[in-house]
Amino acid sequence: MLKSHKEYSALVEEMIGHDRRYYDEAMPTISDQEYDRKMKQLIAYEKAHPEEIDPNSPAQRVAESPTEGFVQKNHLVPMYSLPNTYSEEEVGDFVKRVHKLLEKKEVAFCCELKMDGTAISLRYEEGKLVQALTRGNGKEGDDVTANIKTIHSIPLKLSGKVPKVMEVRGEVYLSLATFRSINAAREEEGLELFANPRNAAAGSLKLLDPREVAKRKLNIVTYGIAEGEATVKTQYEVHAFLKAAGLPTASPKHLAVVHDLVGIMRFAEKIHQEREDLPFEIDGMVVKVDELKAHEQLGHTGKVPRFAIAYKFAPLQAHTVIEEITVQVGRTGVLTPVAELKPVFLAGSTIARATLHNREEIARKDIRIKDTVIIEKGGDVIPKVVEVDLKKRPDGSKPWHMPKHCPVCNAAVVHLEGEVAVRCPNAKCGAQRVRRIIYFASKHAMDIEHMGEKVVEQLVEKGLVSRISDIYLLDEKKLAHLEGFKEKSIHNLLSSIETSRKCPLSRFLMGLGIKYVGTETAELLAEHAKNLDELLHMRAEDLTKIDGIGEKTAVAIAEFFKDEDNREEIKLLLKHGVHPQESAKKKISGHTFEGKVFVLTGTLASFSRDEAAEAIKERGGKVSGSVSKNTDYVLVGDEPGSKYEKAKELKIAVLDEEQFRKML
Ligand code: IVH
């Protein structure tokens, strides 16, 4: 418990230091638990003394609970996009046009990197970050303030003398290293990969849960002031001004003031050469008239300014030969053709494979074995084949066709009407089985830690697991057969398997891999059907009555549960000790509320007293009628009574509804 403002300020400083060491220097000096404990102290103090809050306190970044969606708000100044070109000649035309319109012989241009992320507008009032909007349609964007606050390099309070109201423009992006680690984790979890850092950054900003956004480690760079009388006169000075205010800006070596096309091209050449070594993606450079007064003079045409242009660089490409086209079989039997390439070095890594997506893509681009192709990598983990170099096609080459039989189990493949995909219809196919087990164990299904793709592949290869229920028959002896598995890793895996036995029903349903059933539908199902047995007997008509489940999904679910093999698998899972937790009413063990004494006062917006008390008791807490030394938390609603005063007097942690929800 912090006792004075002095203690509070000292902890704010300390926590800013911890954040810096964790986020910028990757050298934390305290454990996560210790950090969380201190953070709770900050939060509690700020709650009790809102008038003393330091806007830069790390507690002010602590992610709020998920939202239902984003609210659209107007930009003070529209967010324009840039005219862009790949041609030097058109950059030359831009320079000439500017000279002509300004009626000047000498014009300075500021050259910058064109960061490949997603645009953001930050509004500061009295130096405090009050709003962050995406570009949206240029006039209004989504309010993503809570998500933006999780980016640690963004100051919540600006330093120095800044305009009263200031709207700053910039780009939110992901470093290549972070992008790769996000995708690696997604691959492990069986989730769809992000195509490139730009998509990953844009997708992350739109996550509904800021706590998830915080994990994505987004970056930002600011480059413009849209609103607010700054004291600077040139675009070049804008960067220095933003930097002095505490905002992240481009490195000075990636900025230049030049006076003609030759200067612009010199900068372009330098950046082009550096491009492959940059820790983030760029898709070109931006040339802006340096003098800000001239921006007003030049104005805009339609949606783009006349004072700037983006000179884009072609994506990184390489030539290589397709040595073979192989076919992969996914969890639901979809066949995906893959180009096995003559290994080629491109943008920092050796590339030996590229996805060919589906047979239509192959037919459209007329891709054949032994073709020389151009492959492209735009930060994408999986490079793509852009086009075939027809001049190099060997004589006698023939168009490629999807095999008529599954390459793994030899079943005749099917092509469902209205689908691009070709599927192996055999649910017992070895490849599908492996993918299903991987999916079952993945994070968004049963969340069996330490049981990623490689482990599952080994388990199946060694004959230790051939269906999902076999997971629950694994023991120390069996796991000792796995390569690299020692006492500790065996113990870790077994204990995650053990934990998963008591999974929520929704995760269990996810894990079964029912067609069209994602997290949301699985949760709906778990909520509506009281238990698994009931679900097993529901007909499609009953399922469509659940708000949010459509006809197609209902039919797929009913069919899944009617299938004898599926019923058998579920029976085995239950027999081997999996007990999906059917109702939220069950007591939740290990919760932070366990053994804690609560007192309730005032009216809560979204709980009745009884509901709040029930939620506390379910989690092992107690509810008492009066505040004493033994009280751990006082939950305070609107118009609280004397219990609130008593809590403050006894310095007992006070929770508002929002905090209570979060803790739940
Ligand atoms: S200036 C009116 N400068 O490129 C001028 N934009 O189409 C507004 N971008 O997504 C933009 N780096 O966020 C500017 N140094 C830079 C930039 C940059 C990336 C993005 C911008 C928007 C797109 C413009």
Side-chain angles (χ1 to χ4, degrees):
M1 213 40 165
L2 300 171
K3 292 198 194 66
S4 63
H5 185 73
K6 207 168 146 210
E7 278 186 22
Y8 165 72
S9 298
L11 188 56
V12 166
E13 283 311 308
E14 184 190 329
M15 294 296 276
I16 290 175
H18 289 312
D19 277 353
R20 194 187 56 244
R21 284 186 290 278
Y22 182 88
Y23 289 100
D24 303 340
E25 297 160 14
M27 272 187 20
T29 48
I30 58 169
S31 69
D32 288 358
Q33 287 95 318
E34 186 69 354
Y35 181 92
D36 290 345
R37 196 182 60 75
K38 288 177 189 256
M39 183 61 92
K40 276 193 191 135
Q41 290 185 341
L42 275 191
I43 294 171
Y45 190 86
E46 290 180 4
K47 186 79 229 161
H49 308 274
E51 68 293 345
E52 291 181 28
I53 293 177
D54 177 341
N56 271 329
S57 156
Q60 293 292 308
R61 295 186 192 278
V62 170
E64 292 163 22
S65 41
T67 65
E68 300 269 294
F70 299 102
V71 178
Q72 261 119 47
K73 302 248 176 79
N74 277 329
H75 295 292
L76 281 185
V77 177
M79 282 182 90
Y80 295 99
S81 57
L82 289 167
N84 64 59
T85 177
Y86 286 92
S87 113
E88 177 177 340
E89 202 185 330
E90 284 183 18
V91 179
D93 292 344
F94 161 78
V95 172
K96 279 188 216 140
R97 205 161 48 240
V98 166
H99 277 270
K100 197 166 155 222
L101 289 168
L102 293 177
E103 296 173 356
K104 271 189 180 170
K105 284 215 173 66
E106 297 232 338
V107 179
F109 296 94
C110 182
C111 298
E112 304 173 2
L113 299 187
K114 185 165 178 340
M115 303 296 294
D116 202 6
T118 182
I120 194 80
S121 182
L122 307 173
R123 173 119 124 245
Y124 285 88
E125 284 176 11
E126 311 281 357
K128 264 168 65 173
L129 177 65
V130 292
Q131 181 177 280
L133 302 183
T134 63
R135 196 177 109 141
N137 61 12
K139 287 204 179 75
E140 50 173 31
D142 286 327
D143 186 337
V144 289
T145 315
N147 287 351
I148 281 294
K149 279 186 177 172
T150 70
I151 304 179
H152 281 256
S153 55
I154 295 185
L156 301 178
K157 174 101 175 59
L158 297 177
S159 340
K161 199 168 167 326
V162 289
K164 233 175 163 190
V165 175
M166 184 159 89
E167 221 172 77
V168 173
R169 299 280 158 87
E171 193 87 348
V172 171
Y173 68 96
L174 279 168
S175 74
L176 279 164
T178 310
F179 165 68
R180 288 186 185 124
S181 79
I182 291 175
N183 258 355
R186 289 177 77 85
E187 191 168 21
E188 186 78 0
E189 289 165 28
L191 298 174
E192 203 179 318
L193 302 187
F194 285 117
N196 50 48
R198 175 177 12 94
N199 286 355
S204 303
L205 256 199
K206 294 289 192 69
L207 286 171
L208 294 178
D209 189 347
R211 290 165 296 199
E212 289 303 311
V213 183
K215 292 184 199 157
R216 297 271 172 99
K217 301 216 170 87
L218 291 164
N219 281 319
I220 189 167
V221 61
T222 57
Y223 50 68
I225 302 169
E227 170 73 32
E229 283 292 311
T231 46
V232 292
K233 293 200 167 54
T234 65
Q235 171 63 24
Y236 189 78
E237 287 165 8
V238 163
H239 296 275
F241 179 85
L242 293 170
K243 187 164 193 264
L247 288 154
T249 48
S251 149
K253 68 173 188 228
H254 293 143
L255 292 172
V257 176
V258 299
H259 297 88
D260 50 19
L261 183 62
V262 176
I264 294 172
M265 287 306 146
R266 210 176 286 140
F267 181 83
E269 183 54 32
K270 172 176 128 71
I271 298 302
H272 205 258
Q273 275 176 12
E274 261 186 54
R275 186 183 185 193
E276 286 190 24
D277 300 322
L278 291 173
F280 46 77
E281 287 258 299
I282 57 168
D283 58 342
M285 58 181 271
V286 185
V287 186
K288 298 175 182 170
V289 171
D290 198 34
E291 203 186 330
L292 296 180
K293 232 198 255 152
H295 289 197
E296 283 165 41
Q297 221 176 319
L298 290 163
H300 297 82
T301 54
K303 286 201 181 101
V304 297
R306 282 200 198 88
F307 54 81
I309 192 167
Y311 178 37
K312 303 239 279 187
F313 300 154
L316 297 162
Q317 295 185 332
H319 288 252
T320 187
V321 173
I322 296 185
E323 293 185 325
E324 188 56 89
I325 296 178
T326 54
V327 173
Q328 282 183 349
V329 186
R331 173 174 65 88
T332 55
V334 173
L335 269 53
T336 306
V338 176
E340 307 289 341
L341 307 167
K342 181 162 172 235
V344 58
F345 194 74
L346 174 62
S349 60
T350 302
I351 299 184
R353 306 183 92 193
T355 175
L356 296 171
H357 302 288
N358 51 53
R359 58 183 190 150
E360 278 185 11
E361 167 96 355
I362 295 183
R364 195 164 48 82
K365 292 182 178 161
D366 188 17
I367 298 169
R368 305 181 185 188
I369 297 170
K370 296 292 170 214
D371 266 348
T372 295
V373 289
I374 297 169
I375 59 162
E376 187 175 292
K377 193 171 141 185
D380 319 26
V381 168
I382 310 167
K384 53 178 180 252
V385 172
V386 186
E387 64 176 314
V388 176
D389 186 346
L390 289 174
K391 289 194 291 294
K392 295 201 177 141
R393 175 167 281 171
D395 289 342
S397 97
K398 291 196 185 71
W400 184 85
H401 294 290
M402 198 62 130
K404 298 244 176 331
H405 293 92
C406 169
V408 178
C409 73
N410 212 28
V413 300
V414 292
H415 179 212
L416 300 180
E417 221 181 289
E419 274 195 358
V420 181
V422 170
R423 291 175 193 266
C424 161
N426 172 18
K428 294 199 175 90
C429 167
Q432 288 188 45
R433 219 156 33 179
V434 173
R435 305 298 326 174
R436 273 203 301 271
I437 299 168
I438 292 169
Y439 182 79
F440 178 82
S442 71
K443 202 160 198 152
H444 64 312
M446 296 295 275
D447 195 15
I448 307 181
E449 247 191 295
H450 314 289
M451 201 165 184
E453 205 166 318
K454 301 263 153 18
V455 173
V456 173
E457 276 167 5
Q458 264 205 73
L459 286 167
V460 174
E461 217 172 89
K462 299 216 151 61
L464 300 167
V465 169
S466 64
R467 53 201 303 169
I468 53 179
S469 54
D470 290 345
I471 293 173
Y472 296 94
L473 296 175
L474 288 170
D475 55 22
E476 280 174 31
K477 233 165 99 192
K478 287 185 182 162
L479 290 182
H481 288 97
L482 295 189
E483 256 160 59
F485 266 63
K486 305 241 162 59
E487 206 175 315
K488 181 139 190 269
S489 33
I490 292 175
H491 168 81
N492 285 344
L493 181 50
L494 286 176
S495 97
S496 334
I497 293 174
E498 194 50 41
T499 312
S500 77
R501 287 183 200 271
K502 280 205 202 106
C503 60
L505 179 57
S506 58
R507 283 181 169 273
F508 181 82
L509 295 172
M510 274 294 281
L512 295 177
I514 308 166
K515 217 165 156 189
Y516 310 125
V517 175
T519 310
E520 225 166 278
T521 311
E523 276 167 9
L524 278 176
L525 281 175
E527 214 174 284
H528 283 82
K530 302 275 173 310
N531 54 46
L532 193 56
D533 199 47
E534 190 166 310
L535 253 182
L536 284 169
H537 294 100
M538 276 172 97
R539 292 166 307 165
E541 316 67 296
D542 306 323
L543 290 159
T544 44
K545 290 199 190 109
I546 302 177
D547 205 10
I549 295 186
E551 177 87 30
K552 194 170 75 171
T553 311
V555 170
I557 298 167
E559 268 178 13
F560 183 92
F561 287 122
K562 239 195 315 188
D563 182 280
E564 264 318 309
D565 288 335
N566 293 337
R567 293 175 84 93
E568 172 70 14
E569 192 61 46
I570 293 171
K571 235 199 253 166
L572 282 172
L573 282 162
L574 301 183
K575 187 173 155 216
H576 298 163
V578 180
H579 292 297
Q581 305 292 293
E582 289 152 357
S583 133
K585 294 268 175 304
K586 278 240 168 95
K587 198 164 159 172
I588 299 160
S589 63
H591 195 270
T592 44
F593 284 2
E594 220 160 57
K596 297 280 190 276
V597 180
F598 283 75
V599 172
L600 316 182
T601 176
T603 319
L604 299 172
S606 53
F607 297 89
S608 69
R609 265 267 177 130
D610 284 347
E611 281 166 348
E614 188 60 37
I616 293 167
K617 285 188 230 156
E618 266 173 35
R619 288 159 180 78
K622 291 191 201 97
V623 179
S624 155
S626 58
V627 180
S628 75
K629 275 204 319 276
N630 298 329
T631 311
D632 292 292
Y633 296 104
V634 176
L635 174 57
V636 180
D638 267 348
E639 297 179 14
S642 60
K643 290 174 194 166
Y644 179 42
E645 298 308 322
K646 185 88 189 273
K648 282 202 283 192
E649 193 185 308
L650 293 177
K651 298 208 166 69
I652 284 162
V654 169
L655 299 176
D656 65 8
E657 191 166 346
E658 186 64 38
Q659 290 169 314
F660 177 65
R661 250 181 196 294
K662 250 192 246 172
M663 289 174 82
L664 280 181

Short mmCIF file of all heavy atoms in Angstrom, two decimals, residues 80-82 112-115 118-119 135 170-171 223 286 288 305 307, ligand 1:
data_model
loop_
_atom_site.label_atom_id
_atom_site.label_comp_id
_atom_site.label_asym_id
_atom_site.label_seq_id
_atom_site.Cartn_x
_atom_site.Cartn_y
_atom_site.Cartn_z
N TYR A 80 -5.18 12.65 -45.43
CA TYR A 80 -5.04 12.41 -46.86
C TYR A 80 -4.09 11.25 -47.10
O TYR A 80 -3.29 10.90 -46.23
CB TYR A 80 -4.47 13.65 -47.55
CG TYR A 80 -5.41 14.84 -47.49
CD1 TYR A 80 -5.23 15.84 -46.54
CD2 TYR A 80 -6.47 14.93 -48.38
CE1 TYR A 80 -6.09 16.92 -46.48
CE2 TYR A 80 -7.34 16.01 -48.32
CZ TYR A 80 -7.15 17.00 -47.37
OH TYR A 80 -8.00 18.06 -47.31
N SER A 81 -4.20 10.67 -48.30
CA SER A 81 -3.15 9.71 -48.65
C SER A 81 -2.20 10.40 -49.62
O SER A 81 -2.43 11.55 -49.99
CB SER A 81 -3.76 8.44 -49.23
OG SER A 81 -4.53 8.77 -50.35
N LEU A 82 -1.16 9.70 -50.00
CA LEU A 82 -0.15 10.34 -50.84
C LEU A 82 -0.30 9.90 -52.28
O LEU A 82 -0.61 8.74 -52.54
CB LEU A 82 1.25 9.94 -50.36
CG LEU A 82 1.73 10.49 -49.03
CD1 LEU A 82 2.96 9.74 -48.56
CD2 LEU A 82 2.04 11.98 -49.18
N GLU A 112 11.99 11.42 -46.66
CA GLU A 112 11.76 10.54 -45.49
C GLU A 112 11.52 9.12 -45.96
O GLU A 112 11.24 8.88 -47.13
CB GLU A 112 10.49 11.01 -44.75
CG GLU A 112 10.53 12.45 -44.34
CD GLU A 112 9.19 12.93 -43.77
OE1 GLU A 112 8.23 12.14 -43.67
OE2 GLU A 112 9.13 14.12 -43.42
N LEU A 113 11.55 8.20 -45.01
CA LEU A 113 11.20 6.82 -45.35
C LEU A 113 9.68 6.71 -45.41
O LEU A 113 8.98 7.37 -44.66
CB LEU A 113 11.69 5.85 -44.26
CG LEU A 113 13.18 5.80 -44.00
CD1 LEU A 113 13.47 4.67 -43.01
CD2 LEU A 113 13.95 5.57 -45.29
N LYS A 114 9.20 5.86 -46.28
CA LYS A 114 7.77 5.56 -46.25
C LYS A 114 7.61 4.25 -45.50
O LYS A 114 7.88 3.18 -46.01
CB LYS A 114 7.22 5.45 -47.67
CG LYS A 114 5.70 5.26 -47.66
CD LYS A 114 5.12 5.52 -49.03
CE LYS A 114 3.64 5.32 -49.16
NZ LYS A 114 2.94 4.53 -48.22
N MET A 115 7.23 4.40 -44.24
CA MET A 115 7.10 3.23 -43.37
C MET A 115 5.91 2.40 -43.83
O MET A 115 4.87 2.94 -44.17
CB MET A 115 6.85 3.68 -41.93
CG MET A 115 7.91 4.59 -41.37
SD MET A 115 9.50 3.80 -41.25
CE MET A 115 9.16 2.56 -40.02
N THR A 118 0.50 1.18 -40.66
CA THR A 118 -0.86 1.68 -40.78
C THR A 118 -0.93 3.06 -40.14
O THR A 118 -0.32 3.30 -39.09
CB THR A 118 -1.85 0.65 -40.16
OG1 THR A 118 -3.16 1.12 -40.32
CG2 THR A 118 -1.60 0.38 -38.69
N ALA A 119 -1.62 3.97 -40.80
CA ALA A 119 -1.59 5.38 -40.37
C ALA A 119 -2.36 5.60 -39.06
O ALA A 119 -3.37 4.94 -38.81
CB ALA A 119 -2.19 6.25 -41.47
N ARG A 135 -6.95 5.82 -39.73
CA ARG A 135 -7.30 6.69 -40.84
C ARG A 135 -8.77 6.55 -41.24
O ARG A 135 -9.42 7.52 -41.58
CB ARG A 135 -6.40 6.37 -42.03
CG ARG A 135 -6.45 7.46 -43.03
CD ARG A 135 -5.53 7.17 -44.13
NE ARG A 135 -6.37 6.83 -45.26
CZ ARG A 135 -6.13 7.20 -46.47
NH1 ARG A 135 -5.05 7.83 -46.74
NH2 ARG A 135 -6.94 6.90 -47.44
N GLY A 170 1.28 9.79 -37.76
CA GLY A 170 2.40 8.86 -37.83
C GLY A 170 1.96 7.51 -38.35
O GLY A 170 0.85 7.34 -38.85
N GLU A 171 2.85 6.56 -38.21
CA GLU A 171 2.60 5.22 -38.73
C GLU A 171 2.87 4.21 -37.62
O GLU A 171 3.92 4.28 -36.96
CB GLU A 171 3.57 4.99 -39.91
CG GLU A 171 3.26 3.81 -40.75
CD GLU A 171 2.25 4.10 -41.87
OE1 GLU A 171 1.61 5.18 -41.86
OE2 GLU A 171 2.11 3.23 -42.74
N TYR A 223 5.57 11.68 -37.93
CA TYR A 223 6.25 12.48 -38.94
C TYR A 223 5.52 13.77 -39.29
O TYR A 223 5.95 14.50 -40.17
CB TYR A 223 6.46 11.65 -40.21
CG TYR A 223 5.20 10.97 -40.70
CD1 TYR A 223 4.14 11.70 -41.19
CD2 TYR A 223 5.07 9.59 -40.63
CE1 TYR A 223 2.97 11.09 -41.60
CE2 TYR A 223 3.90 8.96 -41.04
CZ TYR A 223 2.85 9.73 -41.53
OH TYR A 223 1.70 9.12 -41.92
N VAL A 286 9.21 9.15 -49.03
CA VAL A 286 8.26 10.23 -49.25
C VAL A 286 9.06 11.51 -49.46
O VAL A 286 10.01 11.78 -48.72
CB VAL A 286 7.31 10.41 -48.04
CG1 VAL A 286 6.25 11.46 -48.35
CG2 VAL A 286 6.65 9.10 -47.66
N LYS A 288 8.69 15.54 -49.49
CA LYS A 288 7.76 16.60 -49.10
C LYS A 288 8.43 17.95 -49.31
O LYS A 288 9.63 18.09 -49.03
CB LYS A 288 7.41 16.47 -47.61
CG LYS A 288 6.71 15.17 -47.27
CD LYS A 288 6.49 15.01 -45.77
CE LYS A 288 5.82 13.67 -45.49
NZ LYS A 288 5.78 13.32 -44.09
N PRO A 305 -2.33 15.45 -51.34
CA PRO A 305 -1.71 16.77 -51.31
C PRO A 305 -0.87 17.03 -52.56
O PRO A 305 -0.42 16.11 -53.21
CB PRO A 305 -0.81 16.68 -50.08
CG PRO A 305 -0.49 15.24 -49.94
CD PRO A 305 -1.67 14.47 -50.48
N PHE A 307 1.84 18.87 -52.16
CA PHE A 307 3.19 19.20 -51.66
C PHE A 307 4.04 17.96 -51.36
O PHE A 307 5.15 18.07 -50.85
CB PHE A 307 3.09 20.08 -50.40
CG PHE A 307 2.21 19.49 -49.32
CD1 PHE A 307 2.71 18.52 -48.45
CD2 PHE A 307 0.89 19.89 -49.18
CE1 PHE A 307 1.90 17.97 -47.48
CE2 PHE A 307 0.07 19.35 -48.21
CZ PHE A 307 0.58 18.38 -47.34
S1 IVH B 1 2.86 11.86 -45.08
C1 IVH B 1 -0.69 14.15 -46.62
N1 IVH B 1 5.07 10.56 -44.43
O1 IVH B 1 1.82 6.41 -46.18
C2 IVH B 1 0.50 13.36 -46.26
N2 IVH B 1 3.11 9.31 -44.82
O2 IVH B 1 -0.65 7.31 -48.38
C3 IVH B 1 0.20 12.26 -45.36
N3 IVH B 1 3.39 6.90 -44.51
O3 IVH B 1 -0.65 5.34 -44.64
C4 IVH B 1 1.21 11.26 -45.18
N4 IVH B 1 5.50 6.93 -43.93
O4 IVH B 1 0.67 6.83 -42.92
C5 IVH B 1 3.78 10.46 -44.76
N5 IVH B 1 7.08 9.55 -43.81
C6 IVH B 1 5.79 9.46 -44.14
C7 IVH B 1 5.13 8.21 -44.18
C8 IVH B 1 3.78 8.18 -44.54
C9 IVH B 1 4.44 6.16 -44.14
C10 IVH B 1 2.05 6.35 -44.81
C11 IVH B 1 0.88 7.11 -44.25
C12 IVH B 1 -0.24 6.60 -45.10
C13 IVH B 1 0.43 6.45 -46.43
C14 IVH B 1 0.11 7.65 -47.32
#
